Amino acid sequence: MTALAADRARYDRATAHLDAPLAIVDLDAFDANADDLVRRAAGKPVRVASKSVRCRALLERVLTRDGFRGIMSFTLAESLWLARSGFDDVLLAYPSADRAGFGELAADPKLAAAVTVMVDDPAQLDLIEAARDGGREAVRVCLELDTSLQLFGGRMRVGARRSPLRSPAQLAELARSVARRPGFRLVGIMAYEGHIAGVGDAVAGRPLRSRAIRLMQAAARRELAERRAAVVRAVRSVVPDLEFVNGGGTGSVQQTAAEDAVTEIAAGSGLYLPRLFDNYTSFTGRPAALFAQPVVRRPGVGVVTVLGGGYPASGAAGPDRLPVPYLPEGLAYDPQEGPGEVQTPLLGSPADDLLIGDKVWFRHAKAGELCERFEVLHLIAGDEVTATVPTYRGEGRTFL
């Protein structure tokens, strides 16, 4: 029996009493992936990206492990909810226009001490100030550095369009703006190099493209390391007591951790290891989060139909945004239909061994987005479900 076949047998035994559709997290794989992130971070703390987990119980689990510290959140409402739930170090990774949320933040000492908000424009500070509604607590602020690689005088850009702040002078100027304003406290800098951390460099069947990606990423790492160090020096000349400089992501942990200017690493997807993280030469992990759909039809030889399964991931539309049939090995989508909203035909010889009611296991393209489809996660250790815990959705929280 292959390792994958053994995993399928474990998952089927563990969930034999449960009807699909359902979602699981293999705790052995989850914990092994957590250990690997810590190893690659080489002594620098890992801040967990909550959007890649979206389950409070699993956030709590990973934050009890040595090497992890703090949460990186994705909306202000989520940040406040997590802080009220007892998480005391929450960095909001994106600017917000949630005026009501900023009013709550500025009025509550506990929330103001726990949550740090992201800015890259003085207009965002104006919005926060106008939303205070009498709240007098100092708002903790982090500045975001644009990490994109710009070539040919800026005519070519590689990387996400995020912050408008690129140069040390630009960040230092905004740091001075924060420092001059009563009621704000600059505590950190964040720089997420998504074109390095979130792009696989070993694309199956595309050796030339893979080499081009590796060359681009090597150039981007060199340019960003130099610029990030200069930015940190410039901002520290304004605010010497910065608490943190955050960088990285699952795909770049060890490279980002090697930069002296960076004090902590952000990562989250590496805990679940969705399919988009299969194509990396820098690390390997174990798929930990899966979902199962039941076989409901057997239309003919070499084909079965499962219920639902059409759960595409965010990003530019393409085949890489689709979940993949994982277990049993050897199943594939019908190219005429793909994964459907209410039914999904699957082709391949393993279909002939599947019976009505059997489970087919899938991997989502991204990590936490899976949790928007399920109210609970069944946590598996060995071949037993040891706990069933709510996702954000299961707690009635859908923040985006």
Side-chain angles (χ1 to χ4, degrees):
M1 180 181 292
T2 67
L4 288 180
D7 282 341
R8 180 195 174 201
R10 285 198 301 116
Y11 302 150
D12 283 346
R13 284 195 300 270
T15 63
H17 62 296
L18 299 170
D19 289 333
L22 59 82
I24 66 167
V25 170
D26 182 334
L27 292 179
D28 294 335
F30 182 90
D31 291 344
N33 292 337
D35 288 342
D36 184 63
L37 290 171
V38 171
R39 176 189 62 79
R40 292 196 286 137
K44 293 186 177 178
V46 178
R47 184 180 292 273
V48 184
S50 63
K51 78 178 183 68
S52 300
V53 180
R54 301 193 206 198
C55 171
R56 281 198 299 166
L58 289 174
L59 289 172
E60 291 168 354
R61 181 185 184 91
V62 74
L63 285 170
T64 63
R65 304 178 70 87
D66 290 342
F68 289 87
R69 185 178 70 202
I71 289 176
M72 177 175 282
S73 58
F74 60 100
T75 74
L76 181 55
E78 180 212 14
S79 305
L80 300 178
W81 178 63
L82 290 172
R84 290 192 178 99
S85 300
F87 297 98
D88 61 4
D89 181 3
V90 182
L91 170 62
L92 174 57
Y94 307 89
S96 175
D98 181 354
R99 292 176 173 85
F102 283 126
E104 294 177 40
L105 180 66
D108 188 314
K110 176 183 175 182
L111 298 180
V115 175
T116 301
V117 303
M118 192 67 59
V119 300
D120 56 31
D121 189 314
Q124 294 155 351
L125 298 172
D126 294 339
L127 185 148
I128 297 170
E129 187 61 45
R132 281 182 176 275
D133 194 27
R136 297 179 177 275
E137 297 300 322
V139 175
R140 294 166 53 86
V141 169
C142 178
L143 306 183
E144 181 169 3
L145 166 68
D146 173 57
T147 66
S148 64
L149 176 65
Q150 296 192 7
L151 305 171
F152 308 111
R155 293 189 297 276
M156 179 179 177
R157 175 192 183 99
V158 181
R161 297 183 183 276
R162 292 178 63 113
S163 171
L165 305 175
R166 285 190 56 80
S167 70
Q170 288 175 314
L171 277 98
E173 177 56 33
L174 187 53
R176 284 189 286 270
S177 180
V178 174
R180 286 193 297 263
R181 291 188 182 224
F184 292 92
R185 181 177 164 219
L186 179 57
V187 298
I189 300 171
M190 188 194 83
Y192 171 58
E193 51 266 50
H195 51 303
I196 303 171
V199 177
D201 63 349
V203 184
R206 304 286 298 275
L208 294 179
R209 177 173 173 79
S210 299
R211 177 168 172 75
I213 290 172
R214 287 194 289 273
L215 290 172
M216 176 276 292
Q217 290 179 337
R221 281 195 297 268
R222 290 192 297 270
E223 187 275 337
L224 178 59
E226 181 178 337
R227 184 158 53 90
R228 180 155 41 198
V231 162
V232 172
R233 288 193 298 270
V235 174
R236 287 194 186 276
S237 72
V238 179
V239 182
D241 57 344
L242 280 180
E243 295 178 12
F244 63 86
V245 176
N246 181 281
T250 288
S252 71
V253 172
Q254 59 269 47
Q255 294 94 344
T256 306
E259 295 182 34
D260 291 338
V262 174
T263 66
E264 64 174 39
I265 309 300
S269 295
L271 295 169
Y272 286 172
L273 204 76
R275 64 166 293 201
L276 282 177
F277 285 86
D278 286 347
N279 302 321
Y280 285 77
T281 58
S282 60
F283 77 102
T284 57
R286 294 170 55 184
L290 308 173
F291 67 93
Q293 304 296 114
V295 174
V296 292
R297 286 178 170 164
R298 291 169 50 88
V301 175
V303 56
V304 291
T305 301
V306 299
L307 182 70
Y311 306 154
S314 60
D320 65 336
R321 301 290 141 168
L322 300 179
V324 290
Y326 181 55
L327 301 172
E329 296 178 83
L331 293 174
Y333 294 125
D334 182 333
Q336 301 300 315
E337 297 193 45
E341 178 186 11
V342 290
Q343 69 169 29
T344 297
L346 297 171
L347 310 180
S349 58
D352 295 330
D353 296 323
L354 291 169
L355 304 177
I356 300 296
D358 283 353
K359 296 179 177 77
V360 175
W361 297 91
F362 293 77
R363 294 174 66 198
H364 202 276
K366 285 194 169 182
E369 291 183 23
L370 169 64
C371 295
E372 299 297 336
R373 299 287 183 168
F374 293 91
E375 294 187 349
V376 300
L377 298 172
H378 302 285
L379 308 184
I380 291 179
D383 58 1
E384 295 182 348
V385 172
T386 59
T388 297
V389 296
T391 61
Y392 280 13
R393 172 180 168 171
E395 296 198 70
R397 305 287 177 165
T398 50
F399 294 107
L400 278 179

